[in-house]
Amino acid sequence: MPELPEVETVRAGLAPYVEGARIQKVTLNRKDLRFPFGPDFVSELEGQTILRAARRAKYLLFPLSSGKTLLSHLGMTGSYRFVEFTYKDPSRYYEPPPGEKHDHVIFDLHHPALGDLHLIYADARRFGFMELFAHEEDSPYLKGLGPEPFGNAFNPAQLAARLKGRKSPIKAMLLDQRVVAGIGNIYASEALHRAHIRPDCPSGALVDKPGRLDDLVFGVREVLAEAVEAGGSTLKDFRNAEGGSGYFQHHFAVYDREGEPCPTPLCTGTIHRIVQAGRSSFFCPVCQKGA
């Protein structure tokens, strides 16, 4: 499932082409993705100008000139691409060839500087979805989200208030989107390794330990920043707006490295794997400690 770095990579790739573009036509090649499209989905998009390409947590947001916002979640296999950068014959997008049978939504755009563009949303497993909302509080997906990791609201004091008295493992709390938005399984494991904290450490036990939450906040931000710079991680399906892969998977310290030596300088540990709530957690039992 794409996490913050992957979604931010897609946002940055789309922004120069969609910001300021008018949506001339929307073609739905099926009636649903994970959820059905709203009955007015097409009519409320056509004729609108995309003001910005934004991101909140793991969601892409496209504020429109109507005052509404298009929310898009990529699910596991969702991706965006422009026909102009994929096919030599732009007319092909009207009847996708067999290899493009998963092209479910087509946006005909007109950009004042770039001319006509055709943006395709493809999703082989259809775990992604789209919705339109007028106010952020109207969207059940955005309501109650925690602070963005790069924002000032994500800090040791805020984190301490959230974790105080909690017995849940710290890995589970990092995955809780109400605590901090945008972090998933991969980057939680990597951030905890940077902070030298075991993923199964009780969350509340870190609150009164000087410097532990400072290390965690720093580790989260550092890992995510490096992942964004590398274009995210491609383990199987993730593709950016140009159809390329991310590269941060080549820099994983612990994720999916069970049995390999810990890369921490002077550490003699070996990466272990445990299962937490049905998901794999990777860590070094030597340099990652409890509270």
Side-chain angles (χ1 to χ4, degrees):
M1 191 75 72
E3 303 180 28
L4 184 154
E6 289 75 49
V7 179
E8 177 60 23
T9 297
V10 173
R11 183 210 66 77
L14 293 176
Y17 306 99
V18 303
E19 291 183 347
R22 178 183 172 86
I23 303 173
Q24 296 182 306
K25 181 181 177 183
V26 178
T27 302
L28 303 181
N29 289 330
R30 57 180 302 112
K31 62 182 180 181
D32 59 7
L33 293 171
R34 189 194 308 183
F35 311 118
F37 292 104
D40 301 320
F41 184 79
V42 170
S43 62
E44 290 194 286
L45 285 174
E46 291 183 340
Q48 302 303 314
T49 296
I50 300 173
L51 303 181
R52 289 189 300 117
R55 179 196 55 77
R56 178 74 169 103
K58 303 175 187 179
Y59 302 103
L60 290 167
L61 302 177
F62 302 97
L64 306 172
S65 53
S66 65
K68 290 198 171 185
T69 296
L70 171 64
L71 177 149
S72 174
H73 189 271
L74 298 175
M76 295 181 69
T77 58
S79 65
Y80 283 94
R81 74 180 189 277
F82 288 95
V83 172
E84 285 72 18
F85 309 142
T86 307
Y87 303 133
K88 292 183 180 179
D89 179 6
S91 67
R92 287 182 63 191
Y93 89 96
Y94 289 108
E95 296 183 13
E100 281 73 45
K101 64 181 179 179
H102 301 301
D103 292 352
H104 302 311
V105 186
I106 301 170
F107 300 89
D108 290 14
L109 307 176
H110 181 78
H111 191 284
L114 303 173
D116 291 338
L117 299 170
H118 304 97
L119 178 62
I120 292 178
Y121 176 78
D123 194 343
R125 300 184 68 178
R126 299 199 309 275
F127 286 170
F129 59 87
M130 298 179 189
E131 73 152 13
L132 283 161
F133 63 88
H135 307 286
E136 185 169 319
E137 58 269 22
D138 296 333
S139 172
Y141 309 109
L142 301 181
K143 191 174 182 179
L145 283 177
E148 289 287 317
F150 295 124
N152 292 334
F154 179 60
N155 56 65
Q158 175 270 342
L159 197 53
R162 291 277 190 168
L163 302 183
K164 189 172 182 63
R166 301 296 296 269
K167 296 181 180 180
S168 301
I170 186 59
K171 167 86 176 297
M173 298 305 291
L174 288 180
L175 297 182
D176 187 338
Q177 299 300 293
R178 296 167 296 180
V179 175
V180 56
I183 301 176
N185 199 43
I186 293 174
Y187 299 110
S189 289
E190 291 294 311
L192 287 167
H193 181 261
R194 298 280 181 108
H196 302 296
I197 297 172
R198 287 180 61 103
D200 55 359
C201 175
S203 301
L206 296 168
V207 173
D208 296 323
K209 299 295 182 178
R212 297 297 269 161
L213 294 183
D214 296 81
D215 292 341
L216 182 55
V217 169
F218 180 80
V220 165
R221 288 176 171 166
E222 186 178 53
V223 163
L224 292 179
E226 291 178 12
V228 169
E229 186 175 358
S233 301
T234 297
L235 301 185
K236 183 179 178 182
D237 297 301
F238 170 68
R239 293 292 182 270
N240 59 33
E242 289 77 35
S245 302
Y247 294 97
F248 191 69
Q249 66 272 14
H250 302 301
H251 302 284
F252 288 164
V254 292
Y255 188 82
D256 203 26
R257 294 192 61 215
E258 181 182 12
E260 297 183 28
C262 176
T264 300
L266 303 181
C267 181
T268 59
T270 299
I271 305 304
H272 284 211
R273 171 183 172 272
I274 59 174
V275 177
Q276 296 179 286
R279 309 189 74 178
S280 295
S281 295
F282 299 90
F283 71 102
C284 173
V286 174
C287 69
Q288 289 180 248
K289 307 294 184 180

